[in-house]
Amino acid sequence: GPVAETFRVIQGAVTEEYVRSTQGVFQFELSGDGGGTWYIDLKTKDGSAGFGKPPVTADVVMSMSSADFVKMFT
């Protein structure tokens, strides 16, 4: 779905430079189609993004609809 595709694109865009300059972990609590807990880890090793809880405690937790999440990132 659109949420999974958005995270796939984010994962492909994560670079060591983004991780080095950001040093943050973002958790998204999404409602609606494709919802659930998702994360972007720009703190650990090479960074990562995907479904489920982040590998370390999130610095920021955002709650929104999956539709708003997709709009925010596209």
Side-chain angles (χ1 to χ4, degrees):
V3 171
E5 177 62 16
T6 301
F7 274 95
R8 189 189 67 73
V9 171
I10 292 168
Q11 175 66 50
V14 171
T15 65
E16 285 183 37
E17 177 57 33
Y18 284 145
V19 173
R20 190 168 41 256
S21 64
T22 305
Q23 288 296 296
V25 178
F26 306 89
Q27 180 173 321
F28 300 88
E29 297 296 337
L30 304 180
S31 60
D33 290 343
T37 301
W38 295 80
Y39 71 92
I40 302 171
D41 176 0
L42 296 175
K43 186 183 259 184
T44 308
K45 293 186 183 181
D46 297 328
S48 60
F51 183 75
K53 296 260 184 204
V56 296
T57 303
D59 297 300
V60 177
V61 178
M62 293 182 238
S63 298
M64 64 185 72
S65 73
S66 56
D68 285 346
F69 172 83
V70 171
K71 286 178 194 172
M72 185 169 85
F73 279 89
T74 54

